[in-house]
Amino acid sequence: MKNCAIVGINWGDEGKGRMVDLLTENFDVVVRYQGGGNAGHTVVNDKGKFALHLLPSGVFHSGVVNVLGNGVALDPENLWREIQEVTAKGVPITSENLKISDRASLLLPWHRDLDALEEQRLADKQYGSTKQGIAPFYSDKYQKKTVLAGELRDRAALLEHLREIMEWKNLTLQRVYGAQPYTIEQLERWLDESCAPILPFVCDTGEFLSKARTEGKNILFEAQLGALRDLDFGIYPYTTSSNTLAAYAPIGAGLPSLKIDEVVGVVKAYSTCVGEGPFVTEWSGEEADKLREAGAEYGAKTGRARRVGPLDLVATRYGVQVQGATRLALTKLDVLSYLDKIPVCVRYRVDGQETERFPFPTVLEKAEPVYKWYDGWGCDISGARRWDELPEAARAYVRAIEAAVACPIPYVSVGPERESIIIRGEGDN
Ligand code: GDP
């Protein structure tokens, strides 16, 4: 197996976690390379049901080394809580199977406050932040106003550094938002309670990964969210604050010169979107409620009801292109079994003109979907494990997507469990 990135093709929540969980057995190392605890992968396996926010999904496989790369928003408080939750269910997390880059920047306690304060200020113009502090964190990282995980090794020097940043940040908290300032005692408590426990996992992961490459180990790169949330290529400003694309994996992981061999893009059989922003195929009312219920579309992190609608091939084709996907996994096909006719958006209509191209973000607001209808299959498909066990209408739906986005779909997922997957062979057309 070569090295491979697993990425989202749409707005996130496509089921990347279950694909990483499935494919991890072919890999020695799994790396998270961007984002923070603002989204969640749901993984169901023999140890139970887990909502992972920052830990790579490879933690469930013994012998796999999991890495949090320099590109992640490392929130010690949430990470330590997550480690405790997972270990309580019998999944061991040690410095052997979890390594945190000493170059990862720390999400500081005020980042979460600033996120909430800014959303409050925006009132009805909110971006729909998960209030995990991700946008303030990345802004501060680029302003060089946070600290690196490796600085935890020298508490005295770190406290001095934190004091400087705190004094600067208190100006914003007090004078812009009228909020309470932070004190050094609060930071010391945070260091003791949340940072000290993660220090044993902090190391030079760049060196570890280079050595792993030299030894011929297989590396899996795990992304958070999807292409349309990428800071540079997504639906700005309704994006996240990091790069969700596979192209960023080598940098965010700590192997800047690496060439990724395979990019597995994960696409849901219909569309969902959390938070604000244009969503061309959005359904409302009873139609939406039915699909949301069928797919249990509530956020893994926030419990928020997701916005839902039919598959958007215009957005999906764009996602496949910017991700450079070499193969696709289509998830949650089982959820569509209740529909007699399945609509798929094949083009947009913008100012009376039809287009197959994904437009500039501000133009997206006025795009309307043009639908094509496919036959439903009218039966439960969650027990199918082979391509020929799927009804012809379901296979036709998969083939139509494959043709429209010009990328093969070797994986079709029909349930959340690890084994609920169809892996298409050579002649499975
Ligand atoms: P991720 O962030 O991309 O990993 O996606 P989430 O974990 O937030 O959302 C995917 C959800 O769908 C999880 O609850 C999964 O357990 C569930 N899921 C994944 N694949 C399938 C599938 O094929 N069928 C069904 N019914 N559920 C699935």
Side-chain angles (χ1 to χ4, degrees):
M1 252 285 182
K2 304 172 234 176
N3 70 67
C4 168
I6 298 192
V7 295
I9 294 296
N10 302 106
W11 298 263
D13 307 315
E14 298 95 343
K16 293 175 296 297
R18 67 104 62 238
M19 287 311 297
V20 178
D21 187 55
L22 176 83
L23 297 179
T24 300
E25 59 190 25
N26 304 316
F27 293 86
D28 307 295
V29 182
V30 179
V31 193
R32 268 285 306 270
Y33 62 88
Q34 49 78 228
N38 52 329
H41 290 318
T42 311
V43 177
V44 185
N45 58 33
D46 50 3
K47 298 207 173 75
K49 183 173 179 184
F50 298 86
L52 296 182
H53 301 296
L54 203 49
L55 284 175
S57 313
V59 292
F60 300 113
H61 292 257
S62 62
V64 171
V65 181
N66 297 275
V67 174
L68 290 173
N70 51 277
V72 303
L74 191 73
D75 179 344
E77 209 172 315
N78 275 347
L79 177 63
W80 180 231
R81 191 176 318 123
E82 199 171 316
I83 291 174
Q84 288 173 298
E85 278 167 14
V86 171
T87 45
K89 286 191 186 171
V91 179
I93 306 282
T94 67
S95 55
E96 290 302 305
N97 75 344
L98 176 67
K99 297 188 186 293
I100 300 173
S101 168
D102 55 6
R103 286 181 167 273
S105 301
L106 297 192
L107 188 139
L108 301 173
W110 44 75
H111 288 140
R112 245 189 301 274
D113 301 344
L114 287 164
D115 218 343
L117 289 164
E118 179 56 13
E119 288 282 283
Q120 225 170 45
R121 190 191 69 81
L122 285 167
D124 60 344
K125 296 209 174 68
Q126 295 191 5
Y127 289 115
S129 160
T130 55
K131 303 192 183 69
Q132 293 299 308
I134 303 300
F137 161 83
Y138 277 108
S139 315
D140 281 0
K141 173 175 171 170
Y142 284 91
Q143 286 201 73
K144 299 158 310 258
K145 296 283 197 196
T146 177
V147 298
L148 302 179
E151 293 184 59
L152 292 173
R153 295 177 187 129
D154 183 344
R155 189 184 163 99
L158 172 59
L159 266 177
E160 214 28 61
H161 191 184
L162 279 172
R163 184 191 297 277
E164 280 167 28
I165 300 175
M166 181 190 75
E167 280 165 8
W168 169 78
K169 192 52 87 179
N170 278 346
L171 294 174
T172 310
L173 284 167
Q174 290 178 282
R175 299 198 193 168
V176 176
Y177 295 107
Q180 286 294 316
Y182 268 83
T183 63
I184 203 72
E185 289 73 32
Q186 282 174 297
L187 292 181
E188 286 193 271
R189 205 166 331 122
W190 172 73
L191 283 178
D192 292 336
E193 289 171 8
S194 304
C195 300
I198 64 161
L199 181 57
F201 305 103
V202 175
C203 62
D204 183 345
T205 53
E207 190 187 12
F208 167 79
L209 289 171
S210 308
K211 190 155 166 275
R213 278 309 286 162
T214 318
E215 289 168 358
K217 300 252 166 74
N218 301 316
I219 304 177
L220 186 64
F221 299 92
E222 178 182 358
Q224 177 223 36
L225 296 169
L228 303 175
R229 298 291 189 195
D230 183 86
L231 180 61
D232 290 79
F233 296 93
I235 51 171
Y236 190 88
Y238 301 100
T239 58
T240 194
S241 304
S242 65
N243 290 100
T244 59
L245 298 188
Y248 184 71
I251 294 177
L255 280 173
S257 62
L258 183 81
K259 182 184 168 299
I260 306 250
D261 301 311
E262 283 273 10
V263 178
V264 175
V266 186
V267 179
K268 204 181 275 190
Y270 51 95
S271 301
T272 64
C273 163
V274 176
E276 306 303 314
F279 182 31
V280 177
T281 64
E282 182 166 17
W283 269 352
S284 59
E286 201 182 318
E287 227 176 6
D289 292 343
K290 272 195 189 154
L291 181 53
R292 189 176 302 112
E293 285 308 311
E297 294 298 349
Y298 299 90
K301 180 78 200 177
T302 57
R304 282 192 286 188
R306 293 177 182 148
R307 299 160 70 192
V308 298
L311 182 66
D312 181 340
L313 285 178
V314 182
T316 302
R317 194 181 305 112
Y318 175 75
V320 168
Q321 281 165 4
V322 291
Q323 288 288 17
T326 53
R327 291 184 290 162
L328 296 178
L330 185 72
T331 61
K332 302 190 100 165
L333 188 62
D334 54 305
V335 171
L336 298 181
S337 300
Y338 78 95
L339 287 166
D340 294 334
K341 289 276 179 192
I342 306 173
V344 170
C345 170
V346 288
R347 284 184 298 282
Y348 290 165
R349 192 176 301 112
V350 180
D351 294 333
Q353 299 264 318
E354 290 197 3
T355 177
E356 290 191 346
R357 274 198 71 222
F358 192 68
F360 185 75
T362 53
V363 176
L364 211 48
E365 303 276 1
K366 48 184 179 175
E368 292 163 40
V370 177
Y371 288 117
K372 182 170 173 183
W373 298 79
Y374 288 86
D375 287 336
W377 36 93
C379 64
D380 178 14
I381 56 167
S382 59
R385 296 291 175 267
R386 290 201 326 259
W387 180 246
D388 60 10
E389 287 171 357
L390 280 179
E392 173 49 25
R395 288 183 293 190
Y397 186 72
V398 178
R399 282 195 301 263
I401 300 167
E402 199 169 50
V405 301
C407 188
I409 305 179
Y411 306 103
V412 179
S413 164
V414 291
E417 305 81 14
R418 196 180 274 176
E419 66 280 3
S420 304
I421 189 97
I422 293 164
I423 302 179
R424 285 165 77 188
E426 279 286 298
D428 286 343
N429 290 311

